[in-house]
Amino acid sequence: MKTHRNSPEHTQSSEGSESCYNEVTDTCSLTTEYADFFDTEQAAQFLGISIKTLHNLCSSGQVPYYKFGRRNRYRKDELKALLLAEPRGGRK
């Protein structure tokens, strides 16, 4: 049975859709949170090194990473901090 927009049934269902909207916006905020992570290929490209070198740096503990299932993920802000940690040459 269809309900009119002004009927009480429709008003109640719009409250339910509001909670769905909140769930969707919460999911979107999580998605933007995870947008700050790189996969291995992206991290290597960001650092300007090969994937093999990135794996070696991770194994030696020089590059932090996070496991998601069987895959490694790297936080963009941590990789950026790693690059900026010890400047060489130029002015001090």
Side-chain angles (χ1 to χ4, degrees):
M1 176 179 158
K2 288 188 175 181
T3 59
H4 280 265
R5 288 186 179 186
N6 297 332
S7 70
E9 292 86 14
H10 188 271
T11 307
Q12 290 172 354
S13 67
S14 68
E15 290 172 3
S17 65
E18 184 177 323
S19 69
C20 289
Y21 173 77
N22 291 337
E23 288 176 25
V24 169
T25 55
D26 291 344
T27 303
C28 289
S29 66
L30 287 175
T31 304
T32 56
E33 245 178 67
Y34 291 117
D36 293 336
F37 280 87
F38 288 143
D39 63 19
T40 301
E41 186 177 339
Q42 292 168 327
Q45 186 176 11
F46 181 78
L47 294 172
I49 58 177
S50 70
I51 292 174
K52 175 85 171 137
T53 301
L54 179 58
H55 284 296
N56 290 339
L57 292 170
C58 289
S59 295
S60 66
Q62 294 176 299
V63 173
Y65 65 95
Y66 302 87
K67 293 296 279 187
F68 290 104
R70 296 178 61 193
R71 301 176 188 273
N72 292 350
R73 294 291 184 251
Y74 308 85
R75 287 185 53 175
K76 183 179 179 180
D77 59 339
E78 290 178 347
L79 296 180
K80 193 173 189 178
L82 184 69
L83 287 174
L84 299 173
E86 295 182 35
R88 311 232 181 211
R91 290 186 244 159
K92 288 190 175 187

